[in-house]
Amino acid sequence: MYTNPQDFSRPVIGAKPNLTNSNSGNNVTIPAPSPYGPPMGNRPAPSPTMPTEDRRQSLTTSGGATPLVKLYNTPREREMYDNMADLFSIVKTIEALEKAYIRNAINEDQYKTNCVKLITQFKVASNLTKDSIPDLKRFMQDYRLECKAAEKRLQEGIPIATGKPQDETRTVAETVQYFITLMDSLRLNMTAVDHIHPGLTDLLESLSKISTLSPDWEGKVKIRNWLITLNKMKAADELNEEQIRQMLFDLESAYNAFHKSLASR
């Protein structure tokens, strides 16, 4: 007959007590109570080598285990979550790219090539998720994406202006040409997004190459805001009368301010 368990001191975690049968004198090993509680019901724990689906079934059917939550019930829902995952990964990648460029971890060519590629991929992914994710800012809030650099880059739709220093006289001439071309297009009622957007992009990049214009120069801010507006529209959409009039006013104001800045150099 074994001695009363109360006679033994509380087992120490990790200890291997060797208890003795008081009657026979034979050494009998009695396993110490597990410090982690009783086993999962009467069912053995799933083996790490067990196939994934079997392990899930074992964990789900074991006593008291929380059942797994299935995100989708149809192939269409699964595709939606896959597209959302792609969008999430693109935003995170652009954030990492922006920080890598700021820290001089990549050169200008690498930055611009990858940034243009990622912005294009984002536009494709946005079209696939537009029914469930109408707004980038709301998507980032819902999924707690703290990626301010990526948000700004995607709103503008163009990389940070890069490139080797060149003759600013040539850059000024190109900038004037972009201004005039855009204003003439609007006056000729060529107001589709896919027609205006490239011109605005070229204009902003050209302005960014002029060293005398600060990043928050009024003309840059207005053009950047128009790019953000166009990025939210479809390629086939056209500006209404009010938007055409406002864009013409903003371009003419920026053009006049640009000439004044050249005179003061």
Side-chain angles (χ1 to χ4, degrees):
M1 182 176 181
Y2 298 113
T3 56
N4 192 330
Q6 295 179 353
D7 296 338
F8 299 103
S9 60
R10 191 180 189 88
V12 180
I13 296 176
K16 299 181 179 179
N18 188 14
L19 307 182
T20 304
N21 185 317
S22 59
N23 291 334
S24 62
N26 296 327
N27 290 334
V28 179
T29 300
I30 300 177
S34 170
Y36 305 106
M40 260 187 328
N42 296 324
R43 186 184 181 92
S47 168
T49 59
M50 187 184 298
T52 304
E53 292 300 325
D54 294 342
R55 282 177 58 78
R56 288 178 178 174
Q57 183 66 20
S58 175
L59 288 170
T60 305
T61 56
S62 300
T66 303
L68 297 176
V69 177
K70 193 171 183 179
L71 291 176
Y72 55 86
N73 295 312
T74 64
R76 184 174 182 180
E77 289 180 352
R78 177 174 182 175
E79 183 180 2
M80 179 191 71
Y81 282 111
D82 286 343
N83 293 334
M84 290 171 66
D86 291 337
L87 198 67
F88 186 96
S89 64
I90 291 171
V91 173
K92 294 288 287 184
T93 305
I94 293 177
E95 180 74 10
L97 181 69
E98 293 287 307
K99 290 183 177 179
Y101 179 67
I102 292 171
R103 295 166 183 168
N104 206 28
I106 56 176
N107 60 40
E108 293 178 353
D109 291 338
Q110 290 174 323
Y111 166 76
K112 191 166 186 178
T113 300
N114 287 285
C115 191
V116 170
K117 181 180 179 181
L118 287 167
I119 290 173
T120 303
Q121 291 174 336
F122 173 79
K123 290 179 180 179
V124 175
S126 297
N127 288 332
L128 295 175
T129 58
K130 60 184 178 182
D131 293 335
S132 52
I133 306 175
D135 180 64
L136 172 63
K137 194 173 188 67
R138 178 65 181 274
F139 174 72
M140 295 179 69
Q141 290 175 348
D142 290 345
Y143 292 93
R144 299 180 182 179
L145 272 170
E146 295 294 334
C147 301
K148 294 183 179 179
E151 182 182 4
K152 182 178 180 181
R153 190 61 43 231
L154 290 170
Q155 284 179 341
E156 295 180 4
I158 57 173
I160 298 173
T162 61
K164 299 178 181 179
Q166 61 178 6
D167 183 9
E168 283 202 353
T169 304
R170 177 183 173 185
T171 304
V172 168
E174 291 176 347
T175 304
V176 171
Q177 180 183 349
Y178 293 140
F179 267 118
I180 294 174
T181 302
L182 272 171
M183 291 188 288
D184 287 345
S185 297
L186 292 173
R187 292 189 180 103
L188 294 172
N189 290 324
M190 302 172 69
T191 58
V193 172
D194 58 352
H195 184 86
I196 300 172
H197 191 281
L200 279 175
T201 301
D202 292 338
L203 176 58
L204 183 59
E205 288 183 348
S206 186
L207 287 170
S208 300
K209 293 177 183 177
I210 300 176
S211 58
T212 56
L213 300 178
S214 63
D216 58 349
W217 181 66
E218 183 181 0
K220 288 183 183 179
V221 173
K222 289 180 178 180
I223 295 169
R224 191 178 294 115
N225 289 337
W226 275 113
L227 278 172
I228 293 172
T229 300
L230 295 181
N231 285 332
K232 296 177 182 178
M233 302 169 66
K234 297 179 181 178
D237 290 345
E238 294 192 1
L239 301 180
N240 57 37
E241 291 295 329
E242 182 180 351
Q243 289 174 318
I244 295 172
R245 189 169 181 176
Q246 184 64 48
M247 183 179 285
L248 265 174
F249 177 78
D250 290 342
L251 287 173
E252 288 175 352
S253 299
Y255 184 60
N256 293 331
F258 177 65
H259 270 286
K260 289 180 181 179
S261 69
L262 295 177
S264 62
R265 292 174 65 177

